[in-house]
Amino acid sequence: MSLRFGQHLIKPSVVFLKTELSFALVNRKPVVPGHVLICPLRPAERFHDLCPEEVADLFHTTQIVGNVVEKHFSGTSLTISIQDGPEAGQTVKHVHVHVLPRKAGDFSRNDNVYEELQHHDKGEEDSPEKWRSEDEMIAEAASLKKYFQ
């Protein structure tokens, strides 16, 4: 069964966790290795559109996934971000949380991660030739899925 992520149809093979109200998937164009997304199952456009149960599940899932990707990708910290609305950089009209495992020196200036998030999926930056292969995404999802079985 495929899931919706805004205008995108998500194949089950790239989803590594599904809860009662949320799902986690690998990113087709990660800013850093291990950059994943957590989304509510219901395609709500903005954070304020979520009901309290969806917010609780989304953040609980984010916490669990964050712990896993930080360890799996040998991170020492996490950047957790929601771009809520077009002026905040949201390009897919479906609430989603970016979880990025971080390491010392992964950006020359630590806060450059936010600039990278702002531009990584816009215009020329979001062309299919810059995406990972489906096989790479499936392999990453399979390796993360093992932590949740």
Side-chain angles (χ1 to χ4, degrees):
M1 176 187 98
S2 295
L3 297 168
R4 281 238 161 257
F5 175 46
Q7 67 272 29
H8 305 286
L9 199 58
I10 302 299
K11 295 179 179 177
S13 56
V14 300
V15 173
F16 60 90
L17 177 62
K18 187 174 168 206
T19 68
E20 184 182 342
L21 298 172
S22 303
F23 66 100
L25 68 150
V26 298
N27 199 322
R28 68 183 180 192
K29 192 170 167 273
V31 170
V32 295
H35 174 187
V36 299
L37 305 174
I38 297 94
C39 312
L41 286 170
R42 184 174 65 87
E45 185 173 329
R46 298 283 310 276
F47 189 72
H48 66 255
D49 296 330
L50 299 175
C51 71
E53 295 79 17
E54 289 171 314
V55 171
D57 190 80
L58 183 69
F59 275 88
H60 183 242
T61 304
T62 298
Q63 183 181 45
I64 292 167
V65 168
N67 290 336
V68 166
V69 297
E70 183 175 347
K71 288 181 182 107
H72 184 78
F73 291 93
S74 303
T76 54
S77 299
L78 293 170
T79 292
I80 297 172
S81 174
I82 297 175
Q83 295 166 299
D84 191 32
E87 291 74 28
Q90 181 182 23
T91 56
V92 176
K93 293 181 178 183
H94 187 145
V95 175
H96 55 286
V97 180
H98 294 263
V99 178
L100 295 86
R102 302 291 305 278
K103 299 175 184 179
D106 56 4
F107 288 90
S108 58
R109 197 177 128 262
N110 197 40
D111 282 352
N112 285 356
V113 68
Y114 301 109
E115 284 180 39
E116 214 32 61
L117 276 171
Q118 200 69 359
H119 300 290
H120 88 287
D121 60 356
K122 290 194 177 110
E124 291 176 15
E125 292 300 313
D126 192 37
S127 55
E129 62 271 2
K130 295 195 177 192
W131 299 344
R132 296 193 295 169
S133 74
E134 189 171 341
D135 287 345
E136 284 177 286
M137 293 172 62
I138 290 168
E140 183 174 292
S143 70
L144 291 172
K145 195 178 284 193
K146 293 175 185 174
Y147 291 97
F148 303 103
Q149 295 174 341

